[in-house]
Amino acid sequence: MRIRIVDAFTDRPFAGNPAGVLLLDTFPDDGRLQNIALEVNHAETAFAHPLPGGGEADWALRWFTPAVEVAMCGHATLATAHVLHSTGAHRGPVRFATRSGVLVATPGEDGEITLDFPTAPLTPVDVPEGVAEALGAVPLTAFDTGPNIGDLLLEVADEQTVHALRPDIEALAAHSERGVIATARAENPALGYDFVSRCFFPNVGIDEDPVTGSAHTALAPYWSERLGRSALTGLQASPRSGRVRTEVRGERTLLAGRAVTVIEGDLLV
C-alpha cells in the first residue's frame, strides 16, 4: 500500500499543510483507516479509490484526522489531486465523491490546482460567553459556518491580533462543533493577500491547523462581501503558513493552490 506525504497550499516543501494520501483499490474497514490516520498523525489523511466509469464521480474520497473522520477537507483534497496528476493515475479534472457531495479538482497548466467546493452558509450569532477569554482576543463579529464545516468564524480587531493569538485550546472546544476560525483584514494588501486567518480545531484532535481549505469556503464569502470583490487571496498565519486563492461563485467557492510531495513509501502492515 503506497503512502505519500504532500504539503498542500504551498509551492515549497516543509510549508503549507501536510496530508497523508493513499490511493487504494477499495476502502478497508473504518477502524483500519482511522489507525492509519493516527499513525500518519497529520491534520488529515486522505483515502481514495477509483469508481466505475460513467458515474457522477471518478474517485471516492474520505478524510480522517488522527481522531475522527471529517465531512470536508480542502488541503487533503488538493493533496490527493496532486498525487493523481503527478503519478498519471488521473488526467484532467477529477470528480471526487465525498460526504460533502461531488467535489471537483481541476489542474492548471502552471501546476496550480483549483478546487470547486460548496460555499459555507454564514449565520450571524452572538459572541458566545467565554469565547473572548478562550481565544485571547475580543471578537468584533461571530458567525456560524453551517454543517459541512461546523466552525465559529470570528473577526478580530486587526492582523497583528491574529498573529499574536495564544488561545486556551481546551476552552475553545466548548464553542463549536469543529473549532474556531479567527480572521482579520490584511494590514498591507500590497504583500499579496487580502485577509489573514488562523484555525483551531480541538474537537477533531487538531490544536492549530496549518492551512485550512475548508475554512476558506467561509472566509471567502465573508471577506468578499466586506471587500466588494469575488476573487481574493487569504494568508493562513500558522507557523508553517500558506496562501489560498479564492473566488466566490454563488453557492460554490473556488479554492486554488499548489502542492509538493515530500515523502513516498510503503505501508507495511
Side-chain angles (χ1 to χ4, degrees):
M1 190 180 296
R2 203 71 175 157
I3 186 168
R4 296 167 175 86
I5 305 299
V6 178
D7 291 342
F9 290 115
T10 182
D11 59 2
R12 57 189 175 87
F14 314 123
N17 201 350
V21 178
L22 291 90
L23 305 183
L24 310 171
D25 295 325
T26 188
F27 291 137
D29 67 82
D30 290 2
R32 180 165 172 77
L33 295 176
Q34 188 64 72
N35 281 335
I36 293 170
L38 178 59
E39 187 74 13
V40 172
N41 202 33
H42 285 313
E44 267 87 11
T45 298
F47 302 90
H49 71 74
L51 295 171
E56 65 174 4
D58 308 300
W59 289 73
L61 177 62
R62 297 172 70 181
W63 314 278
F64 286 75
T65 78
V68 297
E69 183 174 9
V70 295
M72 179 186 289
C73 179
H75 86 278
T77 304
L78 182 69
T80 304
H82 168 77
V83 169
L84 290 172
H85 296 135
S86 62
T87 62
H90 189 94
R91 299 192 183 279
V94 55
R95 301 167 300 168
F96 294 111
T98 78
R99 288 174 59 179
S100 296
V102 175
L103 308 177
V104 181
T106 302
E109 293 183 359
D110 61 355
E112 188 174 69
I113 296 171
T114 300
L115 308 178
D116 182 334
F117 272 42
T119 301
L122 299 179
T123 304
V125 297
D126 293 333
V127 175
E129 183 178 353
V131 77
E133 292 78 8
L135 184 64
V138 177
L140 305 178
T141 60
F143 288 81
D144 178 84
T145 60
N148 283 339
I149 302 178
D151 295 330
L152 182 67
L153 174 63
L154 303 173
E155 183 184 354
V156 297
D158 52 35
E159 180 174 343
Q160 289 307 310
T161 300
V162 174
H163 285 283
L165 291 174
R166 299 293 183 270
D168 181 335
I169 297 296
E170 185 176 349
L172 277 185
H175 295 292
S176 70
E177 180 181 345
R178 182 173 74 166
V180 169
I181 306 166
T183 188
R185 186 186 305 227
E187 291 182 3
N188 182 7
L191 294 176
Y193 57 92
D194 303 288
F195 60 88
V196 64
S197 67
R198 288 175 67 191
C199 296
F200 308 100
F201 304 139
N203 289 327
V204 294
I206 304 167
D207 286 354
E208 180 170 4
D209 199 32
V211 190
T212 315
S214 59
H216 283 75
T217 67
L219 289 162
Y222 181 77
W223 286 111
S224 289
E225 182 174 348
R226 294 285 307 278
L227 300 177
R229 289 183 286 125
S230 61
L232 301 169
T233 297
L235 170 71
Q236 193 154 331
S238 69
R240 289 178 65 101
S241 188
R243 300 191 184 197
V244 183
R245 291 200 310 106
T246 69
E247 183 176 351
V248 178
R249 295 185 176 179
E251 294 183 355
R252 309 295 296 184
T253 292
L254 304 184
L255 312 171
R258 299 174 183 273
V260 181
T261 301
V262 293
I263 297 174
E264 184 173 348
D266 293 320
L267 185 68
L268 300 179
V269 293

